Amino acid sequence: MQLLNALIEHLRRTVPALQEMPNRLSAQVDEGRIRFAPGASLSQGYAVTAALTLHAYDDTLDAVMLPLLAWLSRYQPELGPEPGLRFAWAFAGEAPADLRLWVPLEERVVARHDCASGEITLDHRQPAFAHETCPAEHWQLLLRDDSAGDEGYRLVAEWDGPLA
């Protein structure tokens, strides 16, 4: 799925814990559905729930969720609160723990027939929905932290915006 690959690449680029060690993120799809309309068209849609695991994650949840939500709002804006996103984080005392995320995704595949040549061409669609009311070129995520000194916030993630 091209959409899942794009999400993985986005998280590896935007989540600080993955920037230096991108192999700490793994993904799998346990079950997917194919949405199609019976008839002459072979166009379809792949609907999956991607299971993402950030291995040995010990940073704030916000450093993952905000980049994830920013990406979803651009590429999956129809995703509503149900089924929404789910996560699990198995803490093991002071040691880093695996963070699991379940993210519903839908990818459209448009099939075009050329009866003369006998060719069928496929286009995987990943439309980006413009929604930026504040299209900054670079974003920083700051989290209130009383131990951060005078500013009261610490930088937990940063990434380039869609217009960069």
Side-chain angles (χ1 to χ4, degrees):
M1 258 189 92
Q2 293 178 2
L3 194 62
L4 178 55
N5 288 334
L7 173 57
I8 291 167
E9 188 56 39
H10 171 77
L11 291 175
R12 286 180 173 161
R13 191 172 30 83
T14 59
V15 175
L18 299 174
Q19 290 172 354
E20 293 179 18
M21 296 180 62
N23 60 341
R24 289 176 59 190
L25 176 64
S26 64
Q28 70 183 52
V29 173
D30 293 323
E31 183 177 319
R33 296 178 316 280
I34 297 175
R35 296 179 185 226
F36 68 99
S41 175
L42 295 177
S43 294
Q44 78 246 357
Y46 294 117
V48 302
T49 297
L52 305 174
T53 303
L54 282 79
H55 301 279
Y57 187 71
D58 62 354
D59 203 351
T60 175
L61 187 59
D62 297 324
V64 176
M65 288 302 169
L66 268 286
L68 173 61
L69 293 174
W71 187 89
L72 287 170
S73 68
R74 185 158 176 83
Y75 294 103
Q76 299 281 275
E78 69 282 354
L79 180 64
E82 292 301 327
L85 303 172
R86 296 180 301 129
F87 72 95
W89 205 353
F91 290 99
E94 297 296 318
D98 290 349
L99 172 61
R100 300 253 314 155
L101 302 164
W102 290 272
V103 182
L105 298 173
E106 285 201 30
E107 180 176 320
R108 292 184 304 152
V109 181
V110 177
R112 291 190 185 92
H113 297 85
D114 184 336
C115 295
S117 68
E119 293 180 343
I120 301 172
T121 57
L122 296 178
D123 290 317
H124 287 254
R125 299 282 171 94
Q126 183 180 328
F129 296 88
H131 71 284
E132 298 291 337
T133 57
C134 182
E137 291 184 13
H138 189 78
W139 288 96
Q140 293 182 324
L141 174 60
L142 305 168
L143 181 65
R144 180 169 292 286
D145 185 348
D146 293 335
S147 67
D150 294 337
E151 288 96 40
Y153 291 91
R154 70 179 167 94
L155 179 67
V156 294
E158 58 184 315
W159 62 92
D160 288 331
L163 301 179

